Amino acid sequence: MAKAKLSMRERYRLLTRDLDWTPTYVDPKDVYPHTRYEGIKIHDWDSWEDPFRLTIDSYCKYQAEKDKKLYAVIEGFAQGQGHLSLTDARYVNALKLFLQGVTPLEYAAHRHFGYLARHLDGPGARFAALCQSIDELRHTQTEIHTISQYNKYYGGLHNFGQMHDRVWYLSVPKSFFDDGITAGPFEFLTSISFSFEYLLTNLLFVPFMSGASFNGDLATMTFGFSAQSDESRHMTLGLEVLKFILEQDEGNVPIIQDWVDKWFWRGYRLLGLVAAMMDYMLPKKIMSWKEAFELYFEQQMLEGLFPDLEYYGIRPPRHVAQAIAEKDILSHQLYWTLYQFSHAAAFNTTVPEPAELDWMSSVYPDTFDRHYRPLWERARRLQEDGKRFFFQGLPMLCQVCQIPMTFTEPGDPTTINVRTSTFRDERFNFCSDGCKWIFDREPEKYVQSWLPVHQIYQGNCGGASIPDVLAWYGFQPGDGGEYLTSPDKVNWDKWHAPAVVAGGA
Ligand code: FE
Ligand code: ZN
């Protein structure tokens, strides 16, 4: 006799929520002790609507298929020396930044969603967190396996775990995620699932993956496709979780608004590295940072999403006007800083080619020729005279985002912007009103920041000289500095030199 077929919905209920039970000899508050101290009130966990109805067996089947395809492509890429078909070895610097800066965050996300999968009170929410935790572990693995294809041939990729924990510019992404992980579970969901995965993730993933496809990196492009369906689940979760919390209690609204304000600015500051990557590190450009910001943030989020959130009492993030005002200057200020400090980085920088400068003039007509072209032309002249320079001091860092003081006053691209606060008789410095606002809300948290420059001065980073510090970072010679004289460039030219025909006529 044929068994009655269960509906998808019923099958899903039986395999997920129906496995949950209500404790009787322990107070549920003791089973889930972490979900009340932030002030968020959830009255009914059962009203959680799962954004995607996946059971473990179907989840594993989908993911295994995606993995199989990805590893087949990576295998073919390795066998066919696919790296030689890149536009230029300079492109690999974008991958170095990704592996050192982003991949360890995927792993941190895996760990923290694992924690949420244990500690959220509702079974639907726990199960969604469990799936995302497994996704993030898979992303970590697939990114490492994809990018490790390049480790045999290019510098800067051999030691990304240690680098992430120690290197000055990687303290920017690391401190961002550490901030999220050390917050309570609801703030973490607002920071990572909503503010990052929903509001800003397209500005991270699309540029990297289209950058890969434009620059001949089939391996990374395939990883991107493989992660994309996970990302869309994460985005859905981010929005659903926000609406769920907002609908539960009116008292939740101002708390969430504060977190959206804080995490928009933190995420936006982090994406400055993506801006520099898009405009300067890709030999073949996809679109400018400014265009990406307008499309993926201003149009899709500010005009698309926030009018809907108004219904819940949520307004656009505080300091959003500042981010919009910076879209013309952000990438230039950041890459100029990276250019001057790459002797202490595990990637190479160089002056953009004349055609690239022209491209920037056309996409940044209001600012590039006036403020940044003269800098690059001077740097090129110096370089041609054998005077490629690197900044020999250590910069002052923002106490919150940890980026060197490189940003300028709103509306005045020639004056560096420094804000300060005094807390317990000590002075703290910030790159912007946004970072100062974040500090002033929670000074007890941010006075503890591990600031790379302070740590070097205190003698905690291997020694007092630059070589001491670079050794402590785990760098090898040639990992950083000028691209044109780097081992990557020398090897690339050798591999692409016209073949010498042995014994020819
Ligand atoms: Fe991920
Ligand atoms: Zn800052």
Side-chain angles (χ1 to χ4, degrees):
M1 214 173 83
K3 269 188 261 168
K5 231 179 166 335
L6 294 170
S7 73
M8 283 278 280
R9 203 185 172 87
E10 181 62 5
R11 189 177 139 75
Y12 176 76
R13 195 190 60 77
L14 289 170
L15 286 170
T16 54
R17 291 190 191 196
D18 198 52
L19 298 175
D20 193 47
W21 68 90
T22 310
T24 49
Y25 56 90
V26 183
D27 184 344
K29 286 188 178 134
D30 294 331
V31 182
Y32 305 108
H34 297 176
T35 43
R36 270 163 301 273
Y37 70 87
E38 295 174 275
I40 293 289
K41 292 192 183 68
I42 305 293
H43 303 289
D44 178 19
W45 278 98
D46 283 336
S47 65
W48 171 283
E49 276 293 332
D50 300 353
F52 20 88
R53 298 182 198 294
L54 270 178
T55 55
I56 281 286
D57 63 340
S58 57
Y59 172 79
C60 293
K61 210 161 63 199
Y62 286 137
Q63 300 301 80
E65 274 166 27
K66 285 195 283 182
D67 261 21
K68 225 186 287 169
K69 279 188 204 136
L70 171 66
Y71 284 100
V73 171
I74 294 180
E75 182 72 18
F77 187 82
Q79 303 255 333
Q81 296 284 336
H83 74 98
L84 293 176
S85 312
L86 295 175
T87 44
D88 187 36
R90 185 154 69 95
Y91 161 78
V92 182
N93 289 302
L95 292 181
K96 297 175 193 181
L97 204 54
F98 195 88
L99 184 69
Q100 299 159 9
V102 179
T103 302
L105 302 189
E106 304 266 24
Y107 189 68
H110 152 66
R111 292 181 61 189
H112 208 72
F113 277 102
Y115 155 82
L116 295 182
R118 160 64 184 85
H119 281 286
L120 295 176
D121 306 45
R126 284 203 304 278
F127 189 69
L130 177 67
C131 288
Q132 183 155 356
S133 175
I134 304 170
D135 286 341
E136 303 296 4
L137 182 59
R138 193 178 79 89
H139 294 176
T140 312
Q141 292 168 337
T142 51
E143 283 164 23
I144 293 171
H145 290 151
T146 299
I147 301 176
S148 74
Q149 298 312 310
Y150 294 92
N151 184 38
K152 274 188 236 170
Y153 307 104
Y154 303 88
L157 297 159
H158 60 282
N159 202 9
F160 64 92
Q162 182 179 344
M163 289 178 190
H164 186 75
D165 285 339
R166 297 184 174 190
V167 175
W168 60 277
Y169 61 92
L170 298 172
S171 206
V172 174
K174 182 184 168 70
S175 71
F176 167 85
F177 223 91
D178 283 357
D179 194 350
I181 280 178
T182 50
F186 293 112
E187 184 177 344
F188 178 83
L189 284 167
T190 312
S191 71
I192 301 305
S193 291
F194 177 71
S195 304
F196 201 72
E197 300 262 27
Y198 197 88
L199 284 188
L200 298 170
T201 206
N202 277 343
L203 272 171
L204 174 72
F205 258 77
V206 178
F208 267 106
M209 299 316 150
S210 346
S213 106
F214 270 51
N215 287 279
D217 180 4
L218 185 69
T220 302
M221 197 182 97
T222 311
F223 153 72
F225 277 129
S226 174
Q228 205 169 40
S229 55
D230 300 351
E231 287 309 321
S232 57
R233 260 190 292 115
H234 301 171
M235 285 184 78
T236 313
L237 177 63
L239 189 59
E240 292 307 317
V241 95
L242 192 88
K243 290 181 177 170
F244 170 74
I245 301 172
L246 292 168
E247 277 166 359
Q248 285 291 313
D249 197 288
E250 253 184 61
N252 294 342
V253 177
I255 304 176
I256 294 287
Q257 180 71 58
D258 259 24
W259 289 339
V260 169
D261 291 348
K262 167 182 168 180
W263 286 97
F264 163 75
W265 189 257
R266 290 231 60 184
Y268 163 73
R269 268 289 176 256
L270 174 62
L271 291 181
L273 289 172
V274 180
M277 186 283 290
M278 287 183 81
D279 288 345
Y280 284 88
M281 294 169 99
L282 296 178
K284 197 168 169 200
K285 319 288 184 201
I286 349 156
M287 57 165 76
S288 65
W289 163 258
K290 180 183 169 177
E291 290 165 310
F293 186 82
E294 285 171 350
L295 174 63
Y296 296 118
F297 186 73
E298 290 184 71
Q299 284 176 33
Q300 291 184 0
M301 298 302 154
L302 273 189
E303 291 161 29
L305 170 73
F306 276 95
D308 288 347
L309 291 181
E310 228 176 75
Y311 164 82
Y312 297 90
I314 293 294
R315 50 158 179 73
R318 197 185 287 258
H319 303 114
V320 75
Q322 178 66 37
I324 295 171
E326 280 183 1
K327 68 188 174 190
D328 269 312
I329 56 177
L330 183 71
S331 64
H332 311 299
Q333 298 188 338
L334 270 165
Y335 195 76
W336 179 246
T337 304
L338 296 177
Y339 178 79
Q340 296 175 80
F341 285 95
S342 66
H343 60 307
F347 57 79
N348 304 119
T349 56
T350 194
V351 175
E353 301 283 333
E356 292 180 282
L357 297 184
D358 292 343
W359 175 78
M360 290 197 237
S361 301
S362 73
V363 288
Y364 293 102
D366 300 333
T367 50
F368 191 73
D369 283 350
R370 191 142 40 110
H371 300 293
Y372 307 109
R373 182 186 277 274
L375 289 180
W376 290 121
E377 286 177 347
R378 186 160 52 97
R380 177 181 299 283
R381 281 196 302 277
L382 286 169
Q383 205 165 313
E384 282 166 0
D385 292 345
K387 293 179 189 147
R388 167 61 154 114
F389 66 95
F390 294 103
F391 194 89
Q392 291 305 314
L394 298 181
M396 185 159 95
L397 303 179
C398 173
Q399 187 75 20
V400 172
C401 71
Q402 309 210 5
I403 296 176
M405 298 292 176
T406 189
F407 304 108
T408 48
E409 283 291 344
D412 174 11
T414 57
T415 308
I416 296 287
N417 181 354
V418 180
R419 298 286 179 269
T420 62
S421 286
T422 302
F423 181 70
R424 292 179 190 147
D425 296 329
E426 219 184 316
R427 175 187 147 147
F428 296 90
N429 307 303
F430 315 100
C431 72
S432 55
D433 293 333
C435 284
K436 176 178 157 61
W437 181 82
I438 292 169
F439 178 90
D440 290 342
R441 261 186 87 238
E442 299 171 281
E444 296 85 352
K445 184 168 197 179
Y446 296 101
V447 294
Q448 303 173 62
S449 296
W450 193 93
L451 293 180
V453 168
H454 293 199
Q455 294 298 322
I456 292 171
Y457 280 133
Q458 287 169 34
N460 297 327
C461 302
S465 73
I466 291 181
D468 291 340
V469 174
L470 299 189
W472 185 78
Y473 282 173
F475 287 4
Q476 290 173 354
D479 280 350
E482 170 56 40
Y483 171 69
L484 294 176
T485 50
S486 68
D488 281 7
K489 164 77 170 152
V490 170
N491 288 331
W492 180 262
D493 289 346
K494 207 163 58 194
W495 297 328
H496 288 81
V500 180
V501 183

